Amino acid sequence: MLKSIATKLAAGAVFIAAAAGSASATDKVTYQLDWLPGGDKAPIYVCIQKGFCADAGIEVSIEPGRGSSEAITKMATGSSDIGSAGMGALMAARATEKVPVTAVMSIFNKGPHAFYTLKGNGIETLTDVKGKTIATSPFTSSNVFLPLVLADNGMTEGDITLTKADPAALGPMLMTGNTDAIIAWMTDVTRYTAQRKEAGKEVIVLPWSAAGLDLYSASLVASDKFLTERPEVAKKFIAAFKKSVEFARENPKEAAEAVAAMVPELSAENVEGSLKDALVLVFNDVTEKDGLGALEAGRLKATWDRVSKAQGLDPASLDPESVVDRSFAGE
């Protein structure tokens, strides 16, 4: 089932490339997704559908993605120019493999990780997960940070019973009482709220960012080759992308329709829900303090502190400032 959906969405990405190819722009840019199309990826579709990329003189094609590591590899090898990937994955790749990829703008300035539970399960705060059963997806990056957020709250993984299940099974497991809580992203609030309504239950969401897990997450990253050989194109693209992010915030319905127009397997209604969920990770108190897309030095260092600890890497193996270049976004 998932393979079928992924195949259809990948086909949608081919359509996107074809649609982009009809533009009259002159500079071609290949944008790399780090996961399947959806609400959190709306800005790049807005950039194409609303003409922000074309107005900047850029013709964009979109490549489908299957995770940050793959996205970073594609940019490192030059098959894609710029795209989205997790800051933690980029830092780990730079520390261990010196990949020629650099972050140029933050997208999520807060981590998306969270516990979801139901009212009546005895979990009102994060510390209440002690002694409870928790279900998670085998491949989510949240698993890397789980020991840290538990430690921040005086627990270890031994204090919970952790099971792993297919991502599509997490919601049903929670609604049917087969687990006390699940680990999922804040971008899925609308999905689980809909499942809650069907089950007649009340969902409680406990974001890890509210429990002290401060870090950058999804970021706009680019091939060093692209940045070196076509710096002016990179600057124009980033400006158009940032404009698209702001448009998506002000016009979520139109932004969702832009995604659905290019990926017909997705409904605009569902995309709008996940977009609104994702926007809280883009626009929040951190944005008010540092600005949209900023890569603030202190938060960057805090991100590396967390990533290196979570992945057992030597903190001295990477200067977090070496991973970013703020000049392309005009910081």
Side-chain angles (χ1 to χ4, degrees):
M1 180 67 176
L2 288 176
K3 182 178 180 181
S4 174
I5 293 172
T7 300
K8 290 181 179 179
L9 291 175
V14 173
F15 170 80
I16 291 163
S22 66
S24 59
T26 56
D27 291 310
K28 295 185 178 180
V29 169
T30 302
Y31 187 90
Q32 181 66 53
L33 296 179
D34 58 352
W35 193 241
L36 299 175
D40 59 324
K41 307 296 186 292
I44 190 58
Y45 297 92
V46 167
C47 201
I48 295 171
Q49 286 286 298
K50 296 301 176 183
F52 297 136
C53 285
D55 289 346
I58 298 170
E59 177 182 320
V60 177
S61 61
I62 300 179
E63 287 294 319
R66 296 292 183 275
S68 290
S69 295
E70 182 189 82
I72 290 168
T73 297
K74 287 187 174 180
M75 283 179 266
T77 57
S79 62
S80 297
D81 299 311
I82 193 166
S84 55
M87 178 63 80
L90 176 61
M91 286 178 161
R94 285 286 293 264
T96 57
E97 302 177 43
K98 312 299 182 188
V99 295
V101 177
T102 298
V104 293
M105 172 183 163
S106 76
I107 301 176
F108 291 174
N109 58 27
K110 289 190 175 184
H113 321 289
F115 287 122
Y116 284 68
T117 187
L118 298 177
K119 188 173 183 179
N121 283 356
I123 303 174
E124 299 288 337
T125 67
L126 200 144
T127 54
D128 292 335
V129 301
K130 187 173 184 177
K132 302 294 186 179
T133 56
I134 311 290
T136 185
S137 164
F139 306 111
T140 177
S141 61
S142 301
N143 297 337
V144 174
F145 296 106
L146 177 62
L148 300 187
V149 78
L150 290 175
D152 287 346
N153 290 275
M155 293 177 282
T156 70
E157 285 190 79
D159 289 316
I160 63 174
T161 300
L162 189 66
T163 60
K164 295 185 177 180
D166 187 281
L170 295 179
M173 288 178 68
L174 180 62
M175 304 306 163
T176 58
N178 286 318
T179 185
D180 296 316
I182 61 172
I183 295 172
W185 280 22
M186 294 296 293
T187 52
D188 289 328
V189 170
T190 297
R191 179 203 302 183
Y192 292 122
T193 298
Q195 293 182 7
R196 177 272 299 178
K197 289 179 179 176
E198 292 179 1
K201 306 290 180 64
E202 182 174 341
V203 170
I204 296 172
V205 184
L206 302 171
W208 296 358
S209 61
L213 191 66
D214 294 328
L215 44 78
Y216 287 116
S217 183
S219 302
L220 192 64
V221 306
S223 155
D224 287 356
K225 182 175 185 292
F226 174 59
L227 297 176
T228 300
E229 296 182 356
R230 298 195 289 160
E232 293 308 314
V233 177
K235 289 178 182 177
K236 288 192 298 183
F237 175 83
I238 294 165
F241 184 87
K242 185 179 287 189
K243 187 181 295 184
S244 303
V245 174
E246 292 168 335
F247 179 92
R249 181 195 193 190
E250 298 299 324
N251 307 277
K253 185 174 185 295
E254 286 187 59
E257 289 171 349
V259 178
M262 302 180 79
V263 190
E265 294 80 8
L266 300 177
S267 76
E269 182 180 4
N270 289 339
V271 171
E272 183 178 355
S274 64
L275 168 60
K276 289 179 177 177
D277 293 342
L279 285 172
V280 302
L281 303 172
V282 181
F283 295 97
N284 47 54
D285 57 325
V286 177
T287 320
E288 291 178 5
K289 180 173 70 71
D290 299 330
L292 175 62
L295 293 162
E296 190 271 327
R299 196 170 189 83
L300 195 66
K301 181 180 182 301
T303 302
W304 173 236
D305 289 344
R306 291 291 194 166
V307 170
S308 58
K309 187 172 184 180
Q311 302 199 24
L313 299 171
D314 180 1
S317 63
L318 180 78
D319 175 359
E321 284 293 319
S322 68
V323 174
V324 305
D325 190 328
R326 301 177 179 87
S327 65
F328 290 93
E331 282 191 62

